[in-house]
Amino acid sequence: MLRSLYIQNYALIEKLDISFGAGFSVITGETGAGKSIILGAIGLLLGQRAEVKAIRQGASKCVIEARFDISAYGMEPFFEDNELEYEEECILRREVYASGKSRAFINDTPASLVQMKELGEQLIDVHSQHQNLLLNKEGFQLNVLDILSHNDEQLSAYQSLYREWKQAQQELADLIARAEQNKADEDYIRFQLEQLEEANLSAGEQEELEQETDMLSHAEEIKAGLFRVGQLLTSDEGGLLAGLKESLNTMLGLQKVYSPATELAERLESTYIELKDVSQEVSSQEEDVEFNPDRLEEVNDRLNLIYTLQQKHRATTVEELLTLAEEYAAKLAAITSYDERIGELTTLCDTLYNKVRKQAAVLTKARTGAAREVEKQMASRLVPLGMPNVRFQVEMGIRKEPGVHGEDTVNFLFSANKNGSLQNISSVASGGEIARVMLSIKAMIAGAVKLPTIVFDEIDTGVSGEIADRMADIMQEMGEQDRQVISITHLPQIAARGCAHYKVYKQDNETETNSHIRRLADEERVEEIAHMLSGATLTEAALNNAKALLGIKR
């Protein structure tokens, strides 16, 4: 439960540090004194969006910090799951800077707003006046049934199946769309693939053909060059081989009288052998080279086919064309397998749908039981709140298709009059009746959920007199069940029932206005409640009435 609240430089609050206790407490104050400011600060601790304009004028940042006693609420799993240090006193802190930056801390460890919101929802429930509008929202009504039926595990199991089913449905829809698109392109893909396959391309082919066409185009020039080289090597008159042979013989003759000639003879012999081999190879290649216009035409036709395919498919190499052919083949294989894959996914969707429906039926059964309990409890709670002829019914139906919360539809029907027809609650209930209905629902929920702190922001709007007393009874009873209930109220009947009474007020000086809050002493409570009864002027009758409300003997 909330032990203390510290606010610095937030709106009209320069500095506020207040402690709270267990049970039922009340907060009073004139309109505009700053009660909504305090709720806004608490909202920041619950992960709500921070606005720079909320920072007190002239300050660089605002700080909101709350301390909660969580020793009795079994919240260790949250801290373990989020890798945060668990302590029996939990500290939530939010800092908002004038630069627009915002920081959140849980037990002095930086935390995300998602973490703060998740933890805050387990620590405190703030019921503001606008929440009365939720009464007509199906999501809120469904959540009431889920809370009272304690079906968290069943709902979690359902939503897991639901996500699987919707994901499979999406995959099936995507697959069908791709299949339709690819089948429309099938003829085109098949034609392109057949054209590439008919070309019978091979890696490295283009380079070899380009070299061959160069050779065939210059065959006569090449043959003449090889003939000339052969003549220079083998001619009987002035040929290199003949001269080299003669030089070798001369050196062999000199080696007996001139020792260096031996080495020179060996080198000449090696050169002679190499040149003779070159001569034979030149002669052989000369015989092989011939001008072949038919082969040249064949090679050029083949290259033109390759160039045409490259230009058509925007490729630069044969290898790219081969890769493209593989891609076309893979697409055709995928197209032929679409029907089988679509059939498999359709079967999976049907199987998951049946599981979703089966689990949804489990939720429906639990919610139906909770709905009857809600009807019973609401009647017993609303009659003492000034609705002797009240009728409250939970109307349930089935959706055409399961949704994220199941396949149930829920509608709260209400009639406060004896002969009135049951209608949607927001259509027939007055503001005061809706406030009483919401209080009764909150009381039911509080009994089912171990929520440490509940804050009611003027839930007594539209009621007075004896009904206010009855509403105070409910809040007081809630505060006695190991729970902290704080009510912001303008009604003296409710203010008198709190075990602690806090007053919010403003003070002006020459330059600024400050909002404050403090706990009232017993004598101060008498005066505050008397003011709530009679206005600014205190009368003896108002003071006596205040003492009577507080149970103080005169």
Side-chain angles (χ1 to χ4, degrees):
M1 61 184 64
L2 179 64
R3 287 302 187 193
S4 66
L5 178 65
Y6 175 83
I7 303 173
Q8 182 179 19
N9 295 327
Y10 180 75
L12 297 179
I13 298 175
E14 180 179 13
K15 187 176 181 181
L16 179 153
D17 193 355
I18 191 73
S19 298
F20 294 93
F24 177 44
S25 300
V26 296
I27 297 176
T28 62
E30 295 180 2
T31 301
K35 299 185 295 297
S36 60
I37 295 175
I38 294 174
L39 288 179
I42 293 175
L44 289 180
L45 295 177
L46 302 182
Q48 292 180 7
R49 182 181 176 183
E51 295 187 3
V52 173
K53 64 182 181 181
I55 301 175
R56 185 175 173 82
Q57 188 174 2
S60 60
K61 71 173 182 177
C62 70
V63 179
I64 297 95
E65 180 178 289
R67 294 174 179 266
F68 293 87
D69 180 356
I70 61 173
S71 58
Y73 299 99
M75 293 185 178
E76 292 90 339
F78 170 85
F79 290 85
E80 292 174 2
D81 294 342
N82 289 277
E83 298 181 352
L84 295 168
E85 184 177 353
Y86 172 80
E87 295 180 4
E88 291 187 348
E89 183 182 68
C90 175
I91 303 173
L92 299 186
R93 186 170 78 255
R94 187 88 179 270
E95 298 177 357
V96 181
Y97 293 81
S99 62
K101 183 180 178 181
S102 171
R103 300 176 68 193
F105 300 86
I106 298 176
N107 288 342
D108 291 326
T109 300
S112 68
L113 290 185
V114 173
Q115 290 173 321
M116 181 166 274
K117 184 176 187 296
E118 183 181 351
L119 178 57
E121 289 176 349
Q122 299 179 52
L123 292 173
I124 186 169
D125 173 36
V126 179
H127 179 90
S128 57
Q129 292 183 55
H130 77 272
Q131 276 194 311
N132 289 340
L133 300 175
L134 292 175
L135 193 55
N136 193 40
K137 301 295 184 181
E138 185 177 333
F140 173 79
Q141 297 173 352
L142 198 60
N143 190 44
V144 170
L145 298 186
D146 285 335
I147 290 173
L148 296 176
S149 59
H150 300 284
N151 63 0
D152 292 351
E153 292 184 6
Q154 293 90 332
L155 181 58
S156 178
Y158 169 84
Q159 291 178 333
S160 178
L161 285 170
Y162 178 81
R163 285 191 295 269
E164 286 185 55
W165 173 51
K166 297 305 287 185
Q167 182 177 351
Q169 277 192 321
Q170 186 61 53
E171 290 177 3
L172 178 60
D174 292 344
L175 185 61
I176 291 174
R178 288 200 304 272
E180 291 176 351
Q181 179 61 45
N182 286 341
K183 283 182 178 179
D185 298 338
E186 182 177 2
D187 291 341
Y188 170 80
I189 295 171
R190 192 177 299 281
F191 173 77
Q192 301 301 329
L193 177 60
E194 289 175 353
Q195 190 179 52
L196 289 171
E197 288 179 339
E198 287 173 1
N200 196 26
L201 301 170
S202 59
E205 176 184 8
Q206 182 179 351
E207 291 78 7
E208 293 176 0
L209 290 172
E210 288 173 342
Q211 290 177 1
E212 185 177 359
T213 192
D214 284 344
M215 185 189 72
L216 290 171
S217 298
H218 299 84
E220 293 181 356
E221 179 184 346
I222 294 169
K223 192 173 184 68
L226 291 173
F227 176 79
R228 176 61 180 160
V229 171
Q231 288 296 310
L232 290 171
L233 290 172
T234 61
S235 174
D236 292 337
E237 298 180 359
L240 290 176
L241 286 174
L244 194 57
K245 181 66 174 175
E246 183 179 351
S247 299
L248 173 60
N249 290 334
T250 299
M251 284 297 173
L252 290 173
L254 292 174
Q255 64 183 350
K256 293 181 180 180
V257 294
Y258 182 62
S259 58
T262 300
E263 181 185 352
L264 292 172
E266 291 176 353
R267 293 169 63 185
L268 285 170
E269 183 178 16
S270 175
T271 302
Y272 177 76
I273 294 171
E274 179 66 21
L275 279 178
K276 188 175 182 180
D277 183 65
V278 170
S279 174
Q280 291 172 348
E281 188 169 341
V282 167
S283 178
S284 174
Q285 290 190 14
E286 180 195 354
E287 293 176 0
D288 292 339
V289 174
E290 62 180 30
F291 178 66
N292 188 342
D294 292 338
R295 175 59 183 167
L296 178 60
E297 183 179 2
E298 180 183 336
V299 171
N300 281 332
D301 288 345
R302 181 65 176 172
L303 280 173
N304 286 335
L305 173 63
I306 292 174
Y307 295 151
T308 300
L309 291 173
Q310 287 176 339
Q311 184 177 13
K312 177 180 180 179
H313 297 287
R314 298 181 180 181
T316 57
T317 65
V318 169
E319 286 72 18
E320 290 181 16
L321 291 174
L322 291 171
T323 299
L324 185 61
E326 292 176 358
E327 292 175 358
Y328 283 142
K331 286 183 178 180
L332 284 177
I335 290 172
T336 57
S337 67
Y338 273 136
D339 290 342
E340 180 181 351
R341 292 167 60 197
I342 287 173
E344 292 173 352
L345 265 178
T346 300
T347 300
L348 176 61
C349 285
D350 291 342
T351 300
L352 288 172
Y353 176 73
N354 290 332
K355 289 183 178 180
V356 166
R357 290 291 308 276
K358 184 177 180 180
Q359 187 62 26
V362 174
L363 291 177
T364 298
K365 182 178 180 180
R367 288 166 175 169
T368 301
R372 304 292 80 83
E373 182 63 24
V374 167
E375 292 172 345
K376 180 181 176 181
Q377 284 203 39
M378 289 300 289
S380 64
R381 290 177 181 276
L382 290 172
V383 168
L385 290 177
M387 301 183 193
N389 299 311
V390 68
R391 284 180 295 154
F392 191 95
Q393 181 178 321
V394 181
E395 181 182 62
M396 296 189 65
I398 299 295
R399 297 180 182 278
K400 292 181 179 180
E401 182 178 285
V404 67
H405 298 292
E407 57 183 4
D408 301 310
T409 62
V410 179
N411 189 18
F412 285 178
L413 303 179
F414 174 85
S415 174
N417 301 316
K418 190 172 184 179
N419 298 319
S421 61
L422 284 167
Q423 297 183 44
N424 187 292
I425 189 166
S426 64
S427 303
V428 295
S430 66
E433 288 169 341
I434 286 178
R436 283 173 273 176
V437 170
M438 283 300 290
L439 178 60
S440 299
I441 289 175
K442 289 283 184 176
M444 278 195 305
I445 292 175
V449 179
K450 205 172 184 181
L451 190 67
T453 300
I454 300 175
V455 179
F456 290 111
D457 179 22
E458 299 184 11
I459 197 170
D460 47 37
T461 299
V463 300
S464 60
E466 185 180 353
I467 305 304
D469 279 334
R470 298 293 178 267
M471 294 180 75
D473 288 338
I474 293 174
M475 288 185 277
Q476 191 172 35
E477 180 184 347
M478 292 170 66
E480 292 172 353
Q481 298 174 358
D482 193 25
R483 187 178 292 106
Q484 183 184 49
V485 177
I486 300 173
S487 176
I488 298 173
T489 183
H490 286 292
L491 296 182
Q493 296 95 330
I494 292 178
R497 301 292 285 278
C499 59
H501 188 157
Y502 300 86
K503 181 178 180 179
V504 178
Y505 59 98
K506 289 193 300 188
Q507 283 185 332
D508 296 325
N509 56 34
E510 294 180 356
T511 59
E512 60 187 5
T513 300
N514 289 318
S515 284
H516 303 274
I517 183 172
R518 63 185 178 86
R519 181 170 179 171
L520 299 180
D522 291 343
E523 316 83 60
E524 293 174 315
R525 289 192 71 181
V526 173
E527 289 189 7
E528 174 67 10
I529 292 174
H531 278 300
M532 295 173 73
L533 287 165
S534 65
T537 303
L538 278 181
T539 65
E540 190 65 28
L543 288 170
N544 290 333
N545 286 339
K547 291 178 181 178
L549 287 174
L550 289 167
I552 300 174
K553 293 182 180 180
R554 287 178 277 175

